[in-house]
Amino acid sequence: MVNPIVTRTSRTTLAPVSPDQLIPSAPDPRSWEYADEFVALSPEVSAAREAALAGEWSPVGTGTAALLTLLTRAINAHTVVEIGTDAGVTGLSLLQGMDRKGVLTSIDAETDRQAAARVAFESAGMRSNQFRLIAGMPLDVLPKLRDGAYDLVLVNGDRLEYVEYVSQALRLLRHGGMVVVNDALAENRIADPDNEDDETLIIRETLDSIEETEEFMPVLLPVGSGLLLAIKE
């Protein structure tokens, strides 16, 4: 028996799609909050963050802390530098993703932040050989660290020195290492072309310098106040 031949005599006409329909809608505030708090902080990081807030500092948020832990775990980081101690919140987040034999070097000119970080680290059960806290101006300390010896560098200090920090990070990182720049969207000021305050201009210059550096492969994420990640190729 011969199967009948079925022919299609008409074709469905699709309505034209406007360019606006191709752009995904931005998350609303509820979605941002849901995403930021999707991964709960460990009790140790949560305690460090509460202590920082009580000290009237501005530690990174839940989403940023969780991502820092994920990044050090993902790249199997053993040697990490953070510029700006953040009263222990960022440092502890980094340490919790690192190998137990890894070492965090945390640099900050403010000794009270470093004292708070030490309390946070010790309260979390970190051994003294897992971290070293260096009190001093980062631009005085960073040139003394060894070239190509670090897996990750977190830039989170004086915003007006971000360009210089990233330049040092490029030197410090091994190939395949990562620089992470916190506050990369500067609390929504970066996207405002009319905002030309000093910090905003410097952070824009920092982002441009990373994008233009051939050794870096970057991505800018809207996590917290913005995180720029770049792999040194």
Side-chain angles (χ1 to χ4, degrees):
M1 179 179 179
V2 180
N3 292 329
I5 298 175
V6 178
T7 60
R8 180 173 296 176
T9 58
S10 63
R11 178 176 297 175
T12 302
T13 302
L14 299 177
V17 178
S18 69
D20 290 342
Q21 291 175 296
L22 298 176
I23 301 174
S25 60
D28 62 19
R30 291 181 304 171
S31 294
W32 279 115
E33 182 178 1
Y34 181 85
D36 193 61
E37 298 179 357
F38 182 71
V39 176
L41 295 177
S42 70
E44 297 83 5
V45 175
S46 182
R49 192 168 187 278
E50 289 175 7
L53 291 170
E56 298 186 349
W57 291 313
S58 300
V60 298
T62 300
T64 299
L67 183 55
L68 292 177
T69 301
L70 184 146
L71 291 173
T72 50
R73 181 67 57 83
I75 67 171
N76 193 29
H78 294 272
T79 51
V80 173
V81 174
E82 69 165 351
I83 306 166
T85 300
D86 195 37
V89 179
T90 52
L92 194 53
S93 299
L94 293 163
L95 280 165
Q96 289 188 340
M98 294 167 62
D99 185 277
R100 292 285 291 179
K101 295 181 181 179
V103 178
L104 169 72
T105 299
S106 183
I107 306 166
D108 203 305
E110 297 186 27
T111 55
D112 52 348
R113 288 180 181 269
Q114 293 216 316
R118 183 178 297 279
V119 170
F121 297 164
E122 292 176 349
S123 297
M126 297 298 170
R127 303 185 309 273
S128 60
N129 62 354
Q130 287 182 269
F131 61 89
R132 56 175 179 167
L133 298 169
I134 302 177
M137 301 299 293
L139 292 181
D140 293 334
V141 176
L142 291 168
K144 300 175 183 178
L145 302 182
R146 191 155 54 93
D147 292 9
Y150 296 91
D151 300 310
L152 186 146
V153 176
L154 172 63
V155 174
N156 190 34
D158 184 347
R159 278 36 174 176
L160 296 179
E161 296 181 345
Y162 263 26
V163 174
E164 291 83 359
Y165 295 162
V166 168
S167 177
Q168 288 291 323
L170 179 61
R171 177 183 64 80
L172 295 173
L173 287 169
R174 63 168 172 81
H175 291 288
M178 178 184 296
V179 63
V180 180
V181 179
N182 186 43
D183 201 24
L185 294 176
E187 298 179 351
N188 300 316
R189 300 193 306 273
I190 293 298
D192 179 3
D194 296 324
N195 192 312
E196 296 187 349
D197 67 67
D198 290 344
E199 283 194 359
T200 302
L201 291 174
I202 291 297
I203 294 175
R204 283 198 190 109
E205 183 181 348
T206 303
L207 302 185
D208 289 343
S209 71
I210 291 175
E211 187 180 22
E212 294 166 3
T213 300
E214 290 185 0
E215 293 96 327
F216 279 140
M217 183 174 68
V219 63
L220 180 57
L221 303 177
V223 177
S225 189
L227 283 178
L228 185 138
L229 318 179
I231 293 288
K232 179 180 176 180
E233 297 186 300

